[in-house]
Each structure stands twice: as structure tokens, then as C-alpha cells.
Amino acid sequence: MDLDDRTRVADVMSTPLETIGANAPIRDAARRMHDGGISALVVTTGGGCIVTQSDVVGAVADGRDPEATAVRDVMTEDVETVTPDLMMQEVAAMMTMYGVKHLPVVDDDYVGMVSSTDIAEHLS
């Protein structure tokens, strides 16, 4: 990443933020991600959780029923977040350090999502 690049999260994050309830079946999460062309949803539990394509695929690969398995059973908890004014270099470093591909963007409340795909598109 260009060290002179002054691009901030707000310039590349995905909005509007897509959410899903913790009690929804993972089939609904998969459908929402597929239809929206996105790979993660913030789970509306009030506690920094997301569900990703990897979470859903892992559950299905383990033989779990997509209609009977709730988002809360497969979601990623205690997710790191970023603010809209953070520089993209810092976001890339955080993703590498934490081994994640998605970071919810928070500005008093959830306002968007930044992903490794957003970083790659920004660099291209």
C-alpha cells in the first residue's frame, strides 16, 4: 500500500450496512449475502458480532441444517471495529494482525463494513 495514500475508511467502506438477527437461520444469511453481493453481515445482538460466508460454508460443510441452524450458532463474536476516519494502511495492518477479512465501521453506531475486497479494489 502506498504510504503517501491518505485514503480513509469512509472513502471505501460498504454502505448501507447490512444486518441480520441472531435468531435468523443461516440460510437467510446466505441468501442475503448472495443477493447483496456481500460476504458478511453485522448481527444485531448489540455485541460486536458478524456472520461471514466462511461461517456459513463451514457450518454447511460440517453437515448442519441451514434452515435449523441459527446465525448465533455460527457467528464470529467480539469482532474488532474501525472508525470512518482511520487510514486504509492501518486497516490493512489490522486485518493482517487479526487474521480477518471484515471489519465493521463504527461511529457511535455501526455505519458500514470494510473488507479485504474493498482494500484490493482501492489498490487496483
Side-chain angles (χ1 to χ4, degrees):
M1 189 167 282
D2 180 0
L3 294 178
D4 292 328
D5 186 355
R6 306 299 297 165
T7 304
R8 298 188 183 278
V9 168
D11 299 325
V12 300
M13 70 182 186
S14 298
T15 59
L17 182 66
E18 297 291 333
T19 63
I20 194 163
N23 293 325
I26 62 173
R27 179 184 309 276
D28 289 357
R31 187 173 297 117
R32 298 264 315 275
M33 286 185 265
H34 178 266
D35 292 350
I38 57 176
S39 55
L41 301 165
V42 169
V43 181
T44 55
T45 63
C49 301
I50 64 173
V51 63
T52 67
Q53 284 180 338
S54 296
D55 295 329
V56 173
V57 168
V60 172
D62 288 343
R64 297 176 87 168
D65 179 349
E67 200 58 53
T69 304
V71 166
R72 73 174 169 280
D73 298 328
V74 301
M75 66 188 184
T76 302
E77 299 180 79
D78 300 320
V79 176
E80 294 294 326
T81 61
V82 296
T83 58
D85 61 338
L86 199 63
M87 298 301 216
M88 289 306 295
Q89 298 95 323
E90 296 169 284
V91 172
M94 286 178 70
M95 286 183 176
T96 300
M97 182 171 63
Y98 294 117
V100 298
K101 296 179 183 175
H102 303 89
L103 291 168
V105 182
V106 178
D107 189 13
D108 289 332
D109 197 5
Y110 290 96
V111 295
M113 181 82 71
V114 65
S115 70
S116 55
T117 302
D118 295 327
I119 292 172
E121 287 176 359
H122 169 68
L123 291 174
S124 63

